[in-house]
Amino acid sequence: MTDRHHPAPDERDAALDAAWRAYSVETPPPALDAAILAAAHREARSRPRPAGDDDALAEAREPSKWWWGLAAAATIGAIAFGLVQIVPPTAPTEPTGATDMPATASKRPAETAAERKLEAGAPAADAPSVPGSTVAPAVPKASAEAGGAMRPAPQDRGSDTTPTPKEKPTPKPRDPASVSAPTPKETTAPTPKETTAPTPKEMTALTPKERMPRAFPAAPAPPAEEKSEEGRKRALTSESATAAGMAGPPTSAPAAAPAARGAPATPSGPASGARRESGAARDLQGDDGRRLNAQAATDAGRAEARIPAEDYVARIEAHLGAGRGDDAVRELRAFRAAYPDADERLPPALRPWAAGVPRVPAPPR
Amino acid sequence: MPAPGPDDADEPLMLAYAAGRAEAFDRLYARHKGPVFRYLVRHCNDARLAEELFQDVWTGVIRGRARYVPTAKFTRWLYTLAHNRLVDHWRARGQLGFVSIDDEGAGDGRDAALALPGARTDEPETRTAAKEVGARIAAALAALPAVQRDAFLLQQEAGMTLAQIAELTGAGEETVKSRLRYATAKLRAALEDLR
C-alpha cells in the first residue's frame, strides 16, 4: 500500500502494524471506482457557474415570444380593415344591387340629360293656366316654331311606333282611362304609347266633353304623328281642291304644329300627366274654358283637330257677332288647320268672309 | 494552474479539481480510495454497505469541491465526510454509533463494544478470518469499542496524529491517546498467540 501512513511511533506496536498492513489490503471494486471517476469527470466538465451566468436558466425564464409575430399581423390586419371601412370610396362604382333606375342610365349621358330636361319641364306642365307650358320641353325648337313647322323632327319619327334600340320596349296601348289616371305605382316614365291619344275611331266614340280634356294634355307623339300625316294628306287634298280660290299659300302648317309639338312625346311622368289632366279639365269648364282652349289651340295650334267643326263655327260666329274680327280670323285659321275643308264646313253666310281671310303660307319643306 | 504532479500534496490537487481539472481528482482518488474504503469496511464489517457509504463519501467530495477551503489538510476533510456518513448511517438504523466509552471506565465497556456492529464474533466471515492473522486482527478490531476502533483506524488508515484525530472526533488528545492505548492493547492481545 502506497498510501499507508505511519504516524508517530508512540502508542504503536511494530508487530501489530506489520500484521495490519498484511491484513488490511481491501480496495473498492473497479466498478465503483469507474462510477466515481466518471461522476467526477462529468462534474468537472460541467463546472458550477454562478446563477447569474446561467444563460439557459435565463432563457427558460424569458417569456415566450413566438406569438409576437402573429399578434403584430393581426393588429395590422384589423387596422387596415378599419381604414377601408372608414375611408369613403373615391371612384364611383357601378351599382351592383337591384335598382329601379334604368341600367343604361350611366352609359347614356345624352338620354339622362334629356330625361333631366323632361323632369325639369314637368312642374311647368302642371300650370294649367298657361297652355303653352304643356308643351314638352324636350323640343324647344318645335315650340318656338309654333307658327307652323309641319316638318316632323327626326326624333319624332324615331319615337313613333318603332322604338329605337335605346328605348325600352313599349307596352301595348292601354285603356284611355288608365292613361288619364295613372296609378302612383307607375314610377317609370311612360312610353309614348301609354299617353297616346285615342285613335279616330276612339274619338268618335267619345263625347265632346270627354274629348276636350284629352285633347289638351301634351299630345303624345305617335298618334299626333299619325294625325299629322293624315292632316298633311287632307291639307294636300284641300290645297289641290281649293288652290284656285285661295289667295294665300296652302296652310298646312297649323295642322303640323300639333304634331310637331306632340312629336317629342316624351311625357314627363304619369303623375304630372294626371295633374295636367285634372287641371285641364278644371279649366275647360264653361265658356271661359272653351275660349281659353280655343285661344290656346289657336296660339299653339295643337290638338285642335279634336274640336268639332260645329264648335269652330260657333266660335267664329261668336267672335264676329262680338265684333272681334281678329279672334274670328284666328279661330278660322285654327279651324282650317284642324279641318282642311274648313271653308266648306262654314255656313254659307260666313264663306265670303272666310274667303277674304288669307291662308297661312306653308313653311318650305 | 500547472498540471498536478505525482508528488503534489492533496490540497493543491483538490483545488485543481475544483478548478475543473479532472485528472487532479484521479490522483486524489487513487491516493485515498483504499484507506477510506477500509476505514468504512472495518467500521461496517459489511463490504456491500461499505461500498455504498464509500460512494456517498466521494460523491460528497465531488459536490463539495467548490466549498473546499484549504485551511486544513485534505485528509481531515475527507475523513470528516466519511466519519459523518457513518454516524448518519448508524443513526438512521437506530444503532448506537460512536458511543463515548472511555477506556478508564472500562468496566462494562467491553460489553458495549461487543454490542456494536462489527463486534459480533459469531459472524461466519469473522470466524473464517479468525483462522488467519488477518481474521484475528479483524475480529479484535471488531471487538473494539467504536471510538477506539475509530481512533485506531484513523491512525492506521488515515495516518492522522493524535491531535488530528482529536480534532476530527471532537475529543481531547488525551482521550484519543487513551483510546488508542486500549485499542492497541486489545489487538495485541488477540495476536499474542500468533507471535
Side-chain angles (χ1 to χ4, degrees):
Chain A
M1 296 286 290
T2 56
D3 55 349
R4 180 78 62 181
H5 296 278
H6 300 280
D10 54 346
E11 308 294 337
R12 280 184 171 265
D13 187 347
L16 184 61
D17 289 345
W20 181 261
R21 285 190 215 102
Y23 162 71
S24 184
V25 292
E26 298 94 337
T27 56
L32 186 60
D33 292 342
I36 292 172
L37 290 175
H41 285 248
R42 188 169 54 248
E43 291 291 330
R45 280 193 297 269
S46 60
R47 298 174 54 185
R49 290 172 293 182
D53 295 341
D54 197 345
D55 296 338
L57 183 62
E59 290 176 1
R61 287 173 180 167
E62 283 183 359
S64 180
K65 301 175 183 176
W66 64 268
W67 52 269
W68 283 18
L70 182 63
T75 304
I76 292 172
I79 291 173
F81 181 76
L83 288 176
V84 167
Q85 296 297 321
I86 290 172
V87 175
T90 55
T93 57
E94 196 74 21
T96 56
T99 175
D100 293 339
M101 297 298 293
T104 57
S106 61
K107 296 178 180 177
R108 294 187 292 179
E111 285 187 4
T112 307
E115 287 177 4
R116 274 196 225 106
K117 285 180 181 178
L118 289 174
E119 294 281 346
D126 290 342
S129 59
V130 185
S133 65
T134 59
V135 176
V139 190
K141 204 168 184 180
S143 62
E145 297 172 358
M150 193 181 165
R151 177 182 64 242
Q155 60 268 26
D156 297 343
R157 297 180 184 275
S159 63
D160 208 341
T161 54
T162 56
T164 60
K166 290 182 179 179
E167 292 175 351
K168 287 182 176 180
T170 57
K172 292 186 176 180
R174 296 186 301 180
D175 190 274
S178 66
V179 175
S180 59
T183 59
K185 284 185 177 179
E186 293 176 303
T187 55
T188 56
T191 57
K193 281 203 172 182
E194 286 179 346
T195 55
T196 299
T199 59
K201 270 189 176 178
E202 293 172 347
M203 279 298 299
T204 55
L206 294 173
T207 61
K209 229 176 185 181
E210 289 171 340
R211 294 173 202 161
M212 292 296 289
R214 195 157 301 164
F216 198 75
E225 188 73 14
E226 292 172 3
K227 288 293 178 186
S228 65
E229 294 292 334
E230 290 179 1
R232 196 182 305 158
K233 289 177 182 177
R234 288 176 190 168
L236 291 175
T237 55
S238 66
E239 280 174 11
S240 61
T242 60
M246 292 297 172
T251 59
S252 60
R261 290 207 180 91
T266 49
S268 57
S272 61
R275 286 194 297 270
R276 226 167 24 233
E277 196 104 356
S278 60
R282 260 200 324 273
D283 293 342
L284 291 175
Q285 300 295 327
D287 293 336
D288 292 340
R290 290 192 177 197
R291 188 168 59 246
L292 286 172
N293 279 341
Q295 190 171 0
T298 302
D299 292 338
R302 56 186 297 271
E304 294 297 326
R306 311 294 193 280
I307 300 175
E310 294 81 14
D311 288 354
Y312 280 112
V313 173
R315 289 176 194 174
I316 292 169
E317 288 176 344
H319 287 313
L320 291 174
R324 297 189 295 270
D326 295 340
D327 293 342
V329 169
R330 201 179 304 125
E331 197 72 29
L332 176 61
R333 285 177 177 167
F335 187 28
R336 285 173 176 169
Y339 295 93
D341 55 346
D343 289 356
E344 297 173 0
R345 291 173 180 256
L346 288 172
L350 294 179
R351 288 181 185 174
W353 169 80
V357 176
R359 289 179 179 271
V360 177
R365 292 199 175 186
Chain B
M1 178 177 286
D7 297 332
D8 286 344
D10 296 336
E11 291 76 21
L13 291 174
M14 186 59 199
L15 289 176
Y17 175 65
R21 306 189 67 132
E23 64 271 17
F25 180 85
D26 295 345
R27 298 190 62 81
L28 281 174
Y29 181 76
R31 186 178 293 176
H32 295 284
K33 65 175 184 180
V36 173
F37 182 74
R38 287 188 293 271
Y39 171 78
L40 296 172
V41 167
R42 299 290 175 259
H43 269 303
C44 299
N45 208 13
D46 184 351
R48 198 168 289 274
L49 177 62
E51 292 175 2
E52 180 181 345
L53 297 178
F54 178 80
Q55 188 170 3
D56 291 344
V57 169
W58 284 105
T59 301
V61 173
I62 293 168
R63 291 179 179 176
R65 66 191 184 278
R67 298 190 305 269
Y68 173 74
V69 178
T71 55
K73 290 188 69 171
F74 172 76
T75 51
R76 182 196 166 187
W77 180 59
L78 176 63
Y79 281 94
T80 300
L81 293 177
H83 176 82
N84 292 338
R85 184 68 187 88
L86 278 171
V87 173
D88 292 342
H89 167 71
W90 282 326
R91 285 177 181 172
R93 295 179 61 173
Q95 296 175 340
L96 185 61
F98 293 94
V99 291
S100 177
I101 303 173
D102 202 346
D103 292 344
E104 286 76 14
D108 49 350
R110 185 181 183 88
D111 301 332
L114 292 175
L116 290 174
R120 295 156 57 182
T121 56
D122 57 347
E123 293 282 343
E125 57 270 26
T126 304
R127 271 188 253 114
T128 304
K131 297 178 180 177
E132 303 174 359
V133 176
R136 289 193 179 197
I137 295 174
L141 184 65
L144 288 177
V147 291
Q148 294 177 13
R149 188 172 58 246
D150 188 51
F152 177 80
L153 291 175
L154 286 175
Q155 184 187 46
Q156 291 291 329
E157 298 295 340
M160 290 183 176
T161 62
L162 294 176
Q164 292 172 337
I165 296 171
E167 186 180 2
L168 188 149
T169 58
E173 287 190 17
E174 290 300 323
T175 303
V176 172
K177 188 176 181 179
S178 174
R179 292 173 181 172
L180 285 175
R181 186 182 306 117
Y182 275 100
T184 302
K186 291 174 184 173
L187 291 175
R188 202 180 285 151
L191 299 176
E192 190 64 31
D193 56 339
L194 295 180
R195 295 184 179 179

